[in-house]
Amino acid sequence: MAPEWCRLTAMDENSALSRLRALQIETPSWGYGNSGTRFHVYPWPGAARTVQERIADAALVHRLTGCCPTVALHIPWDAVDDYPALKRYAEEHGVGIGAINPNLFGSDEYRLGSICHPDADVRARAVEHCRECIQIAEQVGSPVISLWLADGTNYPGQDDLRDRHARLLEGLQEVYASLPAGMRLLVEYKFFEPGFYSTDLPDWGTAALACRRLGSQAQVLVDTGHHPQGTNVEQIVAVLLAEELLGGFHFNNRKYADDDLIVGSIDPFELFRIMREIARGDTGDVAFMIDQSHNIEGKIDAMIQSVINIQTAYAKALLVDEARLAGAQAEGDVLGAHRIVLAAFETDVRPLLARLRRELGVDEDPVGAFRAGGFAEALAHERGTASVESAYERL
Ligand code: PSV
Ligand code: MN
């Protein structure tokens, strides 16, 4: 029997369950197609080839988990002629369209950047692409634009850092001015890649400064893979929440860099610590999105596992005995406080999640249900194995 200090009460369980029921996770269209490293793409049998197939796979993940009702799109990877028809297609499959991600890196003209590019014509076209994405978002009923810039430089002297910052703010302001009421602009930062000397939005502080200038419809997007080793990501989350600047997450896990691994696979304790900041409440409108590319494993069960890992971390985080923790903190009981947090992390939440899934009407083991259900085989039969010519042909 667990000692008194880490035992759950029925009350803990019921309130944790209602919070867990409210957790909705968005999956990315680009996680369902073939992707690879710059060395090779290993095509996966049955991987989605079109935006419709990517939406259908996201819908399957929702059917099996009961908690992934929206799918994020990347434009132009997911571009179509008829967006209202795409919206209907998604709804017929049981999902809605979530964040629209303008792609400001997949075109030759972006070699030196997009909205920070030295050439005003390229900057204008980049802003125009963002405006087009806002219109798409309106047509599909999405309330979120997620913006990541690949802008940066590789060499000292390549461009003027202050000029680039000025262009960044000007471009973001132009995009922001086109947002309709109720639509949010989530600004994502990344400390490196593809620029290795400088990145125009390198960290949460720069993103937060930009959002403050823009207004309340702009908030920061924290991609968990976009930090240097050792960064205290949960502290970033805590500060952004306190400043009402946390817009959402791109969940994934990293070992060395932006590895896009299954979230929680490398460091489940970090994911728990991040979700603890969410579990403490007052999170507003935070968007919980996954941003992963599965290169050597199946796409759909890896996505389901990611969803399970987020739910597991959140369930544990909800079980932190906050009242006792506050007491230990006030008394300066350093180890006692730490042990209260650890006790929650070490709790086996599988029975709690099984109860949640029974209530959601899905299998207690959604990955097992996917694997036993013959879905992978049926998709491989229907779609075959794509021939992928180059590692750069991502979708
Ligand atoms: C960039 O590394 C990123 O995290 C951005 O969110 C992109 O939109 C996404 O990955 C897909 O390349
Ligand atoms: Mn991302």
Side-chain angles (χ1 to χ4, degrees), residues 30 74 77 101 105 148 188 190 223 226 250 258 291 394:
W30 57 97
H74 222 294
W77 290 342
N101 292 246
F105 50 89
W148 173 68
E188 181 174 356
K190 182 176 185 179
D223 184 312
H226 289 188
H250 267 179
D258 185 26
D291 177 7
R394 285 201 48 179

Side-chain angles (χ1 to χ4, degrees), residues 8-274:
L8 296 183
T9 63
M11 187 61 179
D12 294 331
E13 252 199 64
N14 288 334
S15 59
L17 265 180
S18 74
R19 296 282 301 275
L20 279 163
R21 263 195 301 272
L23 178 67
Q24 301 196 323
I25 299 164
E26 183 163 302
T27 70
S29 69
W30 57 97
Y32 298 107
N34 280 318
S35 60
T37 66
R38 62 203 168 86
F39 302 103
H40 193 61
V41 177
Y42 299 99
W44 192 263
R49 299 159 299 179
T50 62
V51 60
Q52 286 79 11
E53 290 181 354
R54 295 190 275 278
I55 290 174
D57 288 357
L60 176 57
V61 169
H62 181 46
R63 263 201 342 266
L64 292 167
T65 60
C67 65
C68 302
T70 54
V71 52
L73 300 187
H74 222 294
I75 305 295
W77 290 342
D78 294 314
V80 292
D81 291 333
D82 187 345
Y83 287 98
L86 193 68
K87 177 181 195 273
R88 281 196 302 280
Y89 176 87
E91 284 165 0
E92 279 157 22
H93 283 73
V95 286
I97 294 179
I100 301 297
N101 292 246
N103 185 315
L104 294 173
F105 50 89
S107 153
D108 294 348
E109 66 181 342
Y110 296 141
R111 185 169 61 89
L112 301 178
S114 61
I115 66 170
C116 304
H117 197 286
D119 182 335
D121 288 344
V122 178
R123 296 202 297 276
R125 281 196 291 277
V127 168
E128 196 42 46
H129 176 56
C130 295
R131 290 201 179 112
E132 183 196 336
C133 287
I134 291 172
Q135 283 163 14
I136 293 171
E138 285 187 291
Q139 290 184 65
V140 298
S142 165
V144 170
I145 299 288
S146 296
L147 192 67
W148 173 68
L149 303 178
D151 291 43
T153 67
N154 265 5
Y155 298 98
Q158 178 188 325
D159 201 352
D160 186 273
L161 297 178
R162 261 180 276 180
D163 284 353
R164 288 189 77 93
H165 183 65
R167 293 176 214 146
L168 169 77
L169 294 177
E170 195 182 308
L172 288 177
Q173 264 152 357
E174 287 174 31
V175 175
Y176 187 85
S178 300
L179 285 179
M183 190 179 289
R184 286 188 299 155
L185 178 69
L186 304 190
V187 180
E188 181 174 356
Y189 59 91
K190 182 176 185 179
F191 78 111
F192 82 116
E193 198 195 28
F196 292 110
Y197 168 65
S198 74
T199 296
D200 291 300
L201 272 167
D203 51 37
W204 69 274
T206 311
L209 283 175
C211 290
R212 272 275 150 83
R213 286 238 196 160
L214 294 175
S216 61
Q217 283 170 260
Q219 287 178 308
V220 180
L221 174 56
V222 177
D223 184 312
T224 52
H226 289 188
H227 307 89
Q229 298 281 33
T231 301
N232 185 334
V233 179
E234 63 270 25
Q235 187 177 20
I236 295 172
V237 171
V239 172
L240 288 175
L241 277 171
E243 296 291 333
E244 296 180 6
L245 278 172
L246 182 68
F249 289 98
H250 267 179
F251 285 116
N252 49 55
N253 216 159
R254 75 194 285 284
K255 172 70 179 152
Y256 293 105
D258 185 26
D259 309 322
D260 278 343
L261 304 177
I262 292 173
V263 58
S265 59
I266 300 291
D267 192 345
F269 189 48
E270 180 188 58
L271 182 58
F272 161 82
R273 299 192 312 262
I274 291 170

